[in-house]
Amino acid sequence: MLIIETLPLLRQHIRRLRLEGKRIALVPTMGNLHDGHMKLVDEAKARADVVVVSIFVNPMQFDRPDDLARYPRTLQEDCEKLNKRKADIVFAPAPAEIYPQGTDTQTYVDVPGISTMLEGASRPGHFRGVSTIVSKLFNMVQPDIACFGEKDYQQLQLIRKMVADMGYDIEIVGVPTVRAKDGLALSSRNGYLTADQRKIAPALSKVMNVLADKLQAGERNCEELIAIAEQEVNDAGLRADDIQIRDADTLLALSDSSQRAVVLMAAWLGQARLIDNKVVELAHQAG
Ligand SMILES: Nc1ncnc2c1ncn2[C@@H]1O[C@H](COP(=O)(O)OP(=O)(O)OP(=O)(O)O)[C@@H](O)[C@H]1O
Ligand SMILES: CC(C)(CO)[C@@H](O)C(=O)[O-]
Ligand code: BAL
């Protein structure tokens, strides 16, 4: 496995691989890798000849400097895991390699609508940072496919729209959320939880599943369903931040024509803001 830190070296290898006719998969990450990331690598390996994993804590997508400063950076362990998983290339650039002029004057990619709603409203500028870095990585790595986790549901929708709108010839693969045995979605930020907090964290997915079951059973009073879920999350010892029921395809409010709903959960627990989501197929009565 090659570990590449500079853009010229990356370009040299990508050029060679493309000349050899290799199909390239990209797995973009911010490092501190867990089994969720490994699932993305496995999916990428199954669909391509060469897997490039990028590890870059992207300053442009952080709305809070303290969040950026304490984000876990574990490059050596990450590379060991990726080597065992048979990734081919790790691209781990320093910020100056990606943003030589800094981020303030960086040309950006903005996906209208989707980037300012929901998580985008809670984290101003976050999605502009995500679409910009992913666009840059697409140009640098020139992948045929790229894998993203469904855990970051809105991010996946954002990338799909960016790819469609900008005409990228890249297949976007969404990978189902990998969970701990107790249901907690794996996430690098789970590392901020104390042992006691870790015990109560699975309440987020439990409340989400109950809400999803009610939707599946035909309940449609979203305001009431959300209020109950917020109460349950708070009673469990988390602090509900944003719980939403949306059309899974548009992320807008549910309508009579919605085919699928998505339950989007965000809650604070100590230093960690946890997110999760679940898609529900909506039954429509004939006639
Ligand atoms: N539990 C998971 N299952 C599947 N994919 C995941 C999971 N967690 C993260 N991913 C995906 O891995 C990719 C890189 O994510 P990232 O490096 O931000 O990890 P993370 O664990 O989500 O960290 P964070 O705590 O910052 O949210 C994204 O496409 C993300 O959706
Ligand atoms: C896609 C991504 C690697 C862009 O920095 C990041 O948002 C993430 O880890 O989900
Ligand atoms: N996994 C999403 C990246 C972020 O929280 O910044």
Side-chain angles (χ1 to χ4, degrees), residues 181-192:
K181 281 205 182 77
D182 58 14
L184 179 66
L186 300 187
S187 168
S188 304
R189 287 189 176 88
N190 293 350
Y192 299 155

Side-chain angles (χ1 to χ4, degrees), residues 28-30 56 58 61 71 126 130 133-134 137 148 152 155:
T29 81
M30 300 206 303
F56 181 62
N58 173 34
Q61 72 187 71
Y71 199 85
H126 169 65
V130 171
I133 188 63
V134 172
L137 287 167
F148 294 86
D152 296 278
Q155 170 170 285

Side-chain angles (χ1 to χ4, degrees), residues 149-160:
E150 288 175 358
K151 191 205 73 177
D152 296 278
Y153 190 87
Q154 191 178 354
Q155 170 170 285
L156 180 55
Q157 302 283 76
L158 175 103
I159 302 298
R160 287 195 194 283

Side-chain angles (χ1 to χ4, degrees), residues 7 15 33 65 86 160-161 178 207 219 233 270:
L7 199 45
R15 231 175 271 131
L33 304 181
K86 306 241 176 314
R160 287 195 194 283
K161 179 163 166 57
V178 177
V207 172
E219 287 190 44
V233 165

